[in-house]
Amino acid sequence: MTKYNKQTAVGIFVFLGIVAVSYMSIKLGNVTLFSDDYYNVKADFTNVAGLKVNAPVQIYGVEVGFVESITLNQKDGTAHLELMIHKGIQLTDDAIASIKTSGLIGDKYVSISPGGVGDPVGDGGVLFDTQPAIDLEDLISKFAIGSV
């Protein structure tokens, strides 16, 4: 009888360990599997050099979301971004999305300068006013050649 009690206790312990590891993997991996805290906003950029999926989206330096996907739109010649924004943050269609660098040669992130007089952007909405990433190599080569 005690043999079955030990096996049951070990089984429960292993099960709880698997549940805990799964939960932490989902939370640390920014997977929105069990959560409806975000809405989707789309934006097209001419250059997203260095930007990666799960990069932060910030307003006034405060993180308000993340980049869900980056795809190429060959028809328009742009990079199509899908951003996940916290539901408590309301954007308007006159907001400006730009790609910035944290630090001198740090990671890229999307910075949104909120508008104020435009129509609210809901789930699946589009930010039309975008500014691409600055290409430092191109800028340095222009400076070195003297065409700046």
Side-chain angles (χ1 to χ4, degrees):
M1 190 68 123
T2 60
K3 184 176 182 180
Y4 292 118
N5 288 340
K6 286 182 183 179
Q7 289 176 349
T8 303
V10 169
I12 291 172
F13 181 75
V14 169
F15 176 73
L16 291 176
I18 290 172
V19 168
V21 168
S22 300
Y23 177 77
M24 291 304 293
S25 297
I26 290 170
K27 283 306 237 182
L28 292 176
N30 283 337
V31 177
T32 55
L33 189 61
F34 304 119
S35 172
D36 246 0
D37 295 339
Y38 297 94
Y39 66 97
N40 186 288
V41 175
K42 297 168 178 53
D44 291 327
F45 290 86
T46 56
N47 184 3
V48 293
L51 188 70
K52 295 181 175 31
V53 173
N54 289 330
V57 175
Q58 296 181 355
I59 297 177
Y60 301 129
V62 177
E63 190 169 328
V64 296
F66 63 94
V67 177
E68 182 180 35
S69 69
I70 303 171
T71 56
L72 179 64
N73 185 348
Q74 290 182 339
K75 185 172 69 173
D76 295 338
T78 59
H80 181 75
L81 267 63
E82 293 197 19
L83 310 173
M84 298 301 286
I85 307 295
H86 285 287
K87 282 196 174 179
I89 306 299
Q90 184 61 48
L91 297 176
T92 56
D93 61 358
D94 62 341
I96 301 170
S98 56
I99 298 176
K100 305 281 187 181
T101 304
S102 60
L104 186 58
I105 48 176
D107 294 334
K108 302 277 185 170
Y109 66 95
V110 177
S111 176
I112 297 178
S113 300
V117 295
D119 295 326
V121 175
D123 192 16
V126 178
L127 297 178
F128 296 104
D129 200 2
T130 60
Q131 296 175 346
I134 296 173
D135 188 7
L136 281 177
E137 291 177 1
D138 187 41
L139 190 62
I140 291 171
S141 67
K142 284 181 181 178
F143 182 73
I145 294 172
S147 64
V148 174

